[in-house]
Amino acid sequence: MKTKYLYIIALFFIGLIACDKDDDLVVAHSPVPPELMISDSTIVLLEEQAEEEAIIFTRTSTDFGFDGAESYEIQFDTVSNFSSNMTPIEFDTSMEISYSVATFNSRSVQLGLTPNEVNTLYVRLKASVSEDVFVYSNIIELSVTPYQSSEVSAYADLYMIGPATEIGWGSASDAIPMFRDPENSFIYTFTGNFNEGELKLLGERGNWQPQWGSSMGSGGSGQLALQETSNDSEPPGITMSAGYQTISVNIQTMTYTIESYDVSSSPVYSSAGLSGSLFSDWNDIVPMTNSSFNPHIWTLNYDYDEYSDIQFRTDSEWWGTVSDPSALYGTVGKDKPNIWLNGGSYLVVFNDLTGQYIFIN
């Protein structure tokens, strides 16, 4: 019996020792979190100062107690527990990151802050060495007053480039124009055929900045990221699936959506062009060109000498405007009124799937 009790006591102490060792493994080292600092906690954003610096974020390093490749992510939210609109942005490996007024205003609008009013915004830093090993910094409360952007977007046109398009990563001068919403100048769309791959958006044909990519997103929607200048971080591309799709982007709310498009009942025209009073006869047609990859997208470079009325032609069909007849972009329908155009040199693009058109000069 005595031997039995000694055996039980021995097991008890072994259990205590084992527990101590397990606890030591768990609490061997507590990570030292980074500290996040800001240049100003009250931010009033003004559109006339769009290119100026709005705020600077600075951090200290994190000590995880072992060597590892650390990554840092700055997070914004409208609630202090970061359970609502939490939006992460990679901080990269630098100790400091700054935002221009325009970029920070876009981020604020994206988070749902009310323009021209004082809003509360929370920010923190997440430091990690793996998906399971991370630590958060202190939380900073910001007072932010964003502005409502001008009624007309600062970017006249947007262009697509990348492997998802038929030109790939070719010359920025060949980037493919998107169509502009006549009711909202911040919205751009394109319905057509795509490759599987990524694309980016350019604000100027021939230049790689300003450039939009994806901040975060999956499936058919996501958030845009803007690279204003070559000194800013380049965003990842927007991922497209192969086939006919409609991509729509809103550069005011910094969001995008992608939806599949059914072309099974859409006619494929053998020709398209422009006719108008500028020519001696309305039966005269200035032919537009398409491609085998996107047979529904027609383009033309043309110089108009004088103010004139015009219509699009597809085979024997006439397409007139259902939008503002003097607008450089809008929508046309069959047997509708003429479009009136000032003289000038234009890149003309027409989509016979959607009736969208745009004149770029």
Side-chain angles (χ1 to χ4, degrees):
M1 182 68 72
K2 182 176 181 181
T3 303
K4 182 178 179 181
Y5 283 124
L6 289 174
Y7 177 72
I8 293 173
I9 293 170
L11 287 177
F12 174 75
F13 280 106
I14 290 172
L16 287 178
I17 294 170
C19 289
D20 285 342
K21 287 183 177 179
D22 287 343
D23 289 345
D24 286 344
L25 288 174
V26 173
V27 297
H29 182 84
S30 296
V32 177
E35 182 181 358
L36 183 64
M37 296 157 283
I38 56 173
S39 57
D40 197 344
S41 61
T42 301
I43 312 297
V44 179
L45 302 167
L46 302 174
E47 188 169 14
E48 57 268 26
Q49 298 173 351
E51 302 302 319
E52 298 179 17
E53 190 172 70
I55 190 169
I56 303 173
F57 295 96
T58 309
R59 68 166 176 86
T60 60
S61 296
T62 306
D63 181 9
F64 283 98
F66 56 88
D67 293 333
E70 300 170 12
S71 63
Y72 293 87
E73 181 180 270
I74 193 167
Q75 298 179 341
F76 298 95
D77 205 337
T78 53
V79 292
S80 59
N81 62 359
F82 291 82
S83 62
S84 177
N85 301 316
M86 196 273 288
T87 302
I89 309 171
E90 189 157 332
F91 198 97
D92 69 35
T93 57
S94 64
M95 303 296 289
E96 180 180 290
I97 188 171
S98 63
Y99 292 97
S100 68
V101 169
T103 300
F104 202 67
N105 192 76
S106 295
R107 177 64 57 182
S108 300
V109 172
Q110 177 183 322
L111 285 167
L113 272 60
T114 305
N116 305 317
E117 292 184 11
V118 179
N119 300 258
T120 300
L121 189 63
Y122 299 92
V123 59
R124 70 182 179 185
L125 199 64
K126 178 182 179 181
S128 58
V129 291
S130 71
E131 184 177 341
D132 300 317
V133 181
F134 58 87
V135 66
Y136 292 110
S137 74
N138 54 307
I139 296 174
I140 297 178
E141 181 178 324
L142 298 176
S143 170
V144 182
T145 305
Y147 59 82
Q148 178 65 51
S149 298
S150 300
E151 187 174 318
V152 178
S153 169
Y155 303 98
D157 305 293
L158 287 189
Y159 304 86
M160 303 182 301
I161 196 167
T165 72
E166 59 184 306
I167 66 168
W169 290 125
S171 170
S173 299
D174 297 324
I176 299 169
M178 300 187 75
F179 297 95
R180 198 166 185 175
D181 189 321
E183 302 299 325
N184 187 332
S185 66
F186 294 94
I187 296 177
Y188 301 78
T189 63
F190 186 92
T191 299
N193 193 23
F194 291 92
N195 295 311
E196 182 176 358
E198 65 176 12
L199 63 77
K200 292 186 178 182
L201 309 174
L202 305 180
E204 298 176 13
R205 203 179 198 196
N207 294 318
W208 288 97
Q209 288 83 29
Q211 174 189 125
W212 288 261
S214 176
S215 166
M216 58 184 295
S218 61
S221 64
Q223 296 172 344
L224 295 173
L226 171 63
Q227 182 191 25
E228 290 184 281
T229 70
S230 59
N231 295 324
D232 299 321
S233 298
E234 185 175 341
I238 299 170
T239 302
M240 304 291 293
S241 300
Y244 278 86
Q245 298 177 82
T246 297
I247 178 171
S248 177
V249 302
N250 186 321
I251 61 173
Q252 183 180 34
T253 60
M254 292 291 283
T255 56
Y256 69 87
T257 59
I258 302 168
E259 297 179 349
S260 61
Y261 189 90
D262 183 7
V263 295
S264 59
S265 61
S266 301
V268 178
Y269 297 103
S270 60
S271 65
L274 287 178
S275 296
S277 60
L278 177 65
F279 316 112
S280 58
D281 191 322
W282 272 88
N283 290 321
D284 291 339
I285 298 175
V286 179
M288 305 181 76
T289 60
N290 61 354
S291 70
S292 58
F293 183 81
N294 254 319
H296 299 281
I297 306 297
W298 302 86
T299 61
L300 169 68
N301 286 286
Y302 198 78
D303 294 333
Y304 294 88
D305 295 331
E306 59 188 38
Y307 185 68
S308 60
D309 54 340
I310 59 174
Q311 290 217 357
F312 288 96
R313 290 282 301 273
T314 54
D315 294 345
S316 60
E317 298 173 336
W318 296 86
W319 299 64
T321 184
V322 295
S323 306
D324 180 354
S326 61
L328 292 178
Y329 55 90
T331 306
V332 291
K334 296 174 184 178
D335 301 319
K336 298 297 181 181
N338 298 342
I339 301 168
W340 287 88
L341 190 70
N342 286 319
S345 179
Y346 295 93
L347 167 64
V348 188
V349 188
F350 166 58
N351 188 337
D352 68 48
L353 291 173
T354 62
Q356 292 171 297
Y357 71 89
I358 188 167
F359 290 80
I360 302 172
N361 56 6

